[in-house]
Amino acid sequence: MKLAFIYLVIAAALYGSISTVAKPTLDSIHPILLSSLTYLIIGIVVTCIIKITGHYYNPTKNDLKLIVLISISGAVFGPILYFYGLTFTNASLASILINAEFIFSIILAVSILKERPTRIGYAGIILIFVGLLITNVDFENQSLIGGNTFIGNILIIAASFFWAVDNNVSNIAMKKGVSVTRLIQLKSLIGGLISLAIWLGLSFSLSFNMLRLEQIPNLLLLSLGGFAGSLFLFLTGMKQVGTIISVMIFSTSSIFGVIFALLLLDELHTEIWKLFLSSITIVCGIFLITRQNR
């Protein structure tokens, strides 16, 4: 049991590190190429694991339609918008704004899966919305547009919508019998290849920098740590302690993200009180949402 809590804390820390690891990498790698490489690495590694373990699953035609939708939403539009947004905003803000995924996931679950939140659930949604709003309010100028980062913030919130689509459609696919490993494998390979095709198509008309050798450690940490590693540890921990506790611990990823960005990227000029107030408000909102399932 104690080991499960360690898994979940590490998962939250890894997920929170995504914006801090990706931010400097985007200085020299185009967002579309970074998205492609991130998911192709995951797809190749998971393919090797499937080959070694021999756990095969052949999806049906209907399953493949869902997997393509998941791939386009979660491994093409989601990461591309996120990485583009990260080029315009701070990593600390990005780690908080991505929690909009919880709101969109619930809205889509209500409309697609016909799930109904309780009053506590709706209160949690309001708290998350307030937490996201805090990061975009310029209190000194009494404006909802807090400087030049607003466009980046909007792109990251848009990315969280597509990741929420990924969450809900993945839930449908897994209920139909698609295995988690097979889903991650196909989603990553399909999404990575589509993003690569987009990048190659644009590279004929635009000048892009190529991947350099010294960027590989950052890329591996981002791909296998921030995305794949956090997901694996989260699912492992959730099996032992349940969904509610797991989601609560994992929601602290935004706080980890703020700490990493402030310390490692020297974003100390950012209004720290606003970041932590937003993080705590969002964590409380997520806590209320998970309580509705008791």
Side-chain angles (χ1 to χ4, degrees), residues 89-162:
T89 193
N90 297 325
S92 50
L93 280 176
S95 63
I96 295 173
L97 292 171
I98 202 61
N99 285 286
E101 183 179 336
F102 282 94
I103 295 179
F104 289 128
S105 292
I106 292 172
I107 293 173
L108 290 171
V110 169
S111 58
I112 298 175
L113 303 179
K114 306 303 180 182
E115 297 180 6
R116 291 290 181 269
T118 62
R119 290 182 179 178
I120 294 177
Y122 281 117
I125 294 173
I126 293 172
L127 278 178
I128 295 175
F129 179 78
V130 170
L132 296 173
L133 192 62
I134 289 172
T135 63
N136 288 288
V137 174
D138 187 345
F139 291 96
E140 294 182 359
N141 299 320
Q142 296 182 346
S143 171
L144 288 177
I145 303 178
N148 296 327
T149 63
F150 185 71
I151 294 176
N153 296 348
I154 292 298
L155 289 174
I156 289 172
I157 291 174
S160 70
F161 169 77
F162 284 103

Side-chain angles (χ1 to χ4, degrees), residues 140-193:
E140 294 182 359
N141 299 320
Q142 296 182 346
S143 171
L144 288 177
I145 303 178
N148 296 327
T149 63
F150 185 71
I151 294 176
N153 296 348
I154 292 298
L155 289 174
I156 289 172
I157 291 174
S160 70
F161 169 77
F162 284 103
W163 273 326
V165 173
D166 176 358
N167 294 338
N168 280 273
V169 181
S170 293
N171 189 19
I172 295 172
M174 287 187 290
K175 285 181 179 179
K176 289 179 175 292
V178 181
S179 66
V180 174
T181 53
R182 191 64 162 160
L183 183 60
I184 294 173
Q185 177 208 24
L186 294 176
K187 163 191 167 180
S188 301
L189 290 176
I190 293 172
L193 289 172

Side-chain angles (χ1 to χ4, degrees), residues 7-285:
Y7 287 154
L8 291 168
V9 171
I10 296 175
L14 286 173
Y15 192 69
S17 72
I18 287 176
S19 58
T20 301
V21 175
K23 182 70 174 178
T25 308
L26 287 164
D27 290 338
S28 54
I29 300 180
H30 194 273
I32 298 177
L33 179 59
L34 181 59
S35 173
S36 173
L37 294 175
T38 297
Y39 280 91
L40 283 176
I41 289 172
I42 295 172
I44 291 169
V45 170
V46 174
T47 299
C48 293
I49 293 173
I50 291 175
K51 290 285 186 181
I52 293 171
T53 58
H55 292 161
Y56 292 96
Y57 169 81
N58 294 319
T60 64
K61 288 184 179 180
N62 289 331
D63 292 340
L64 283 174
K65 292 178 182 178
L66 292 176
I67 291 171
V68 169
L69 177 58
I70 291 166
S71 303
I72 293 173
S73 299
V76 178
F77 287 125
I80 288 176
L81 287 170
Y82 179 80
F83 289 139
Y84 262 114
L86 194 55
T87 62
F88 291 103
T89 193
N90 297 325
S92 50
L93 280 176
S95 63
I96 295 173
L97 292 171
I98 202 61
N99 285 286
E101 183 179 336
F102 282 94
I103 295 179
F104 289 128
S105 292
I106 292 172
I107 293 173
L108 290 171
V110 169
S111 58
I112 298 175
L113 303 179
K114 306 303 180 182
E115 297 180 6
R116 291 290 181 269
T118 62
R119 290 182 179 178
I120 294 177
Y122 281 117
I125 294 173
I126 293 172
L127 278 178
I128 295 175
F129 179 78
V130 170
L132 296 173
L133 192 62
I134 289 172
T135 63
N136 288 288
V137 174
D138 187 345
F139 291 96
E140 294 182 359
N141 299 320
Q142 296 182 346
S143 171
L144 288 177
I145 303 178
N148 296 327
T149 63
F150 185 71
I151 294 176
N153 296 348
I154 292 298
L155 289 174
I156 289 172
I157 291 174
S160 70
F161 169 77
F162 284 103
W163 273 326
V165 173
D166 176 358
N167 294 338
N168 280 273
V169 181
S170 293
N171 189 19
I172 295 172
M174 287 187 290
K175 285 181 179 179
K176 289 179 175 292
V178 181
S179 66
V180 174
T181 53
R182 191 64 162 160
L183 183 60
I184 294 173
Q185 177 208 24
L186 294 176
K187 163 191 167 180
S188 301
L189 290 176
I190 293 172
L193 289 172
I194 291 175
S195 297
L196 182 61
I198 294 172
W199 180 79
L200 289 173
L202 292 175
S203 65
F204 286 109
S205 56
L206 300 174
S207 177
F208 292 145
N209 293 326
M210 297 298 293
L211 178 69
R212 298 196 304 268
L213 188 63
E214 63 268 20
Q215 295 168 329
I216 292 177
N218 256 28
L219 184 59
L220 292 175
L221 179 59
L222 178 66
S223 180
L224 301 181
F227 283 96
S230 63
L231 176 61
F232 173 77
L233 290 173
F234 173 75
L235 294 175
T236 303
M238 186 171 64
K239 286 181 181 179
Q240 299 184 42
V241 300
T243 302
I244 294 175
I245 296 176
S246 299
V247 172
M248 268 306 302
I249 296 175
F250 193 70
S251 68
T252 60
S253 62
S254 59
I255 298 176
F256 278 111
V258 171
I259 294 172
F260 290 149
L262 294 179
L263 295 180
L264 301 178
L265 297 182
D266 194 26
E267 293 187 357
L268 295 176
H269 61 278
T270 309
E271 294 177 279
I272 299 176
W273 68 269
K274 184 192 291 187
L275 295 174
F276 279 102
L277 177 60
S278 176
S279 297
I280 292 170
T281 304
I282 288 171
V283 169
C284 290

